[in-house]
Amino acid sequence: MDIKLFETTQELDAYAAALIVSAVRGNPEAVLGLATGSTPIGIYAKMIDMHRSEHISFKRATTFNLDEYVGLRSSNDQSYAYYMNQHLFAHIDIPSEQTHLPNGMAEDLPAECERYDRMLQEQPIDIQLLGLGHNGHIGFNEPGDKLSGGTHVVELKEETREANARFFASMDEVPEYAVTMGVGSILKANNILLVVRGADKADIVKQALTGPITTDVPASLLQTHPRVTVLLDREAGRKLAQ
Ligand code: F6R
């Protein structure tokens, strides 16, 4: 694992955006794996800057998002589809039909998971951006006795719903289920970019990167991947040397 620490959020965002954009510069048809949550917002803003100022085009790129809540329409401002439009897609030149998220409104969710996996098989991800949950989740792959390889429906842990409640009017509105790419699909990405910020994640960063590889900390499985870059702010990385 290549672990880099950053003094400022701006430096971290610029570095992460440059890595993602370099995949598109190297191959205009690059397939990007994307994440939501608070971590990528500044990275997407920087990608939009680069699109505008350096004329980086995403016209031929394809994106796959990690996850989507079950039961929220894409017009719902808490859905991840809405988030992606708001923070990235509406501001760059990627055609919407080349952007993919699991459809959490699908009537037949198992069939939707199969459809997503088929697309991922046909268009393998060149670089997958990941954030890290406080409990070690990646995507919505929650800690547990076993992890699923492919895209699947997951019941969200109470701690994850509580962590995400800040985006909703009340805890009751936080969906109980989500569709997520599995750890297996994530590990199939050619390159992985894990980004973590904040003192509140220092312990889980240490466990995930240096602790035992265990389904209790899904992100620890990233230790088995040959090309993972980890970008941390000082706070998130402060327990690593201890
Ligand atoms: C989001 C996702 C989640 C988040 C994680 C961290 O698509 O898959 O795993 O990356 O929950 O969330 P933030 O960035 O809000 O701390």
Side-chain angles (χ1 to χ4, degrees):
M1 279 187 178
D2 183 13
I3 303 176
K4 292 191 188 322
L5 291 184
F6 292 84
E7 288 299 334
T8 69
T9 297
Q10 287 81 355
E11 286 169 303
L12 192 163
D13 288 339
Y15 193 93
L19 277 183
I20 298 171
V21 163
S22 77
V24 180
R25 274 195 229 265
N27 170 16
E29 293 180 7
V31 181
L32 309 176
L34 300 178
T36 58
S38 50
T39 305
I41 292 177
I43 300 172
Y44 295 151
K46 189 69 196 161
M47 286 167 65
I48 295 166
D49 280 354
M50 293 171 87
H51 165 66
R52 289 182 182 151
S53 61
E54 298 173 32
H55 309 292
I56 304 295
S57 174
F58 294 87
K59 246 184 201 146
R60 290 160 61 198
T62 296
T63 66
F64 286 96
N65 264 79
L66 285 167
D67 41 22
E68 179 59 285
Y69 288 118
V70 168
L72 299 190
R73 288 180 197 288
S74 56
S75 55
N76 183 310
D77 63 3
Q78 293 311 327
S79 73
Y80 286 167
Y82 189 99
Y83 167 110
M84 288 309 301
N85 278 324
Q86 183 188 18
H87 292 291
L88 184 65
F89 298 153
H91 312 285
I92 59 174
D93 59 347
I94 191 162
S96 59
E97 59 276 16
Q98 285 156 225
T99 66
H100 306 285
L101 287 98
N103 176 9
M105 291 297 292
E107 262 175 43
D108 184 345
L109 286 170
E112 169 61 11
C113 294
E114 277 173 32
R115 184 188 73 90
Y116 210 69
D117 279 341
R118 267 199 307 278
M119 287 195 297
L120 285 168
Q121 249 163 29
E122 284 161 15
Q123 294 171 282
I125 291 174
D126 293 303
I127 182 163
Q128 174 68 56
L129 174 62
L130 296 176
L132 178 66
H134 290 99
N135 61 7
H137 74 213
I138 47 176
F140 274 131
N141 294 281
E142 302 279 25
D145 298 340
K146 56 185 172 63
L147 293 169
S148 304
T151 304
H152 58 287
V153 177
V154 64
E155 181 171 6
L156 299 178
K157 294 252 181 206
E158 215 42 30
E159 64 235 41
T160 299
R161 292 185 65 237
E162 276 162 19
N164 289 359
R166 67 192 193 277
F167 300 115
F168 290 82
S170 74
M171 182 70 183
D172 293 345
E173 288 182 22
V174 186
E176 288 176 17
Y177 293 89
V179 179
T180 182
M181 270 165 58
V183 173
S185 335
I186 293 172
L187 291 174
K188 278 188 197 137
N190 201 22
N191 295 280
I192 293 181
L193 180 57
L194 174 68
V195 180
V196 196
R197 310 172 201 271
D200 52 327
K201 295 201 179 151
D203 284 321
I204 195 66
V205 162
K206 184 167 185 179
Q207 278 184 57
L209 304 188
T210 66
I213 298 171
T214 162
T215 57
D216 289 334
V217 182
S220 67
L221 275 93
L222 297 174
Q223 293 178 40
T224 66
H225 192 284
R227 283 171 305 279
V228 179
T229 303
V230 184
L231 309 183
L232 306 171
D233 68 3
R234 274 269 156 230
E235 292 297 301
R238 79 192 156 117
K239 299 230 163 135
L240 277 186
Q242 291 170 15

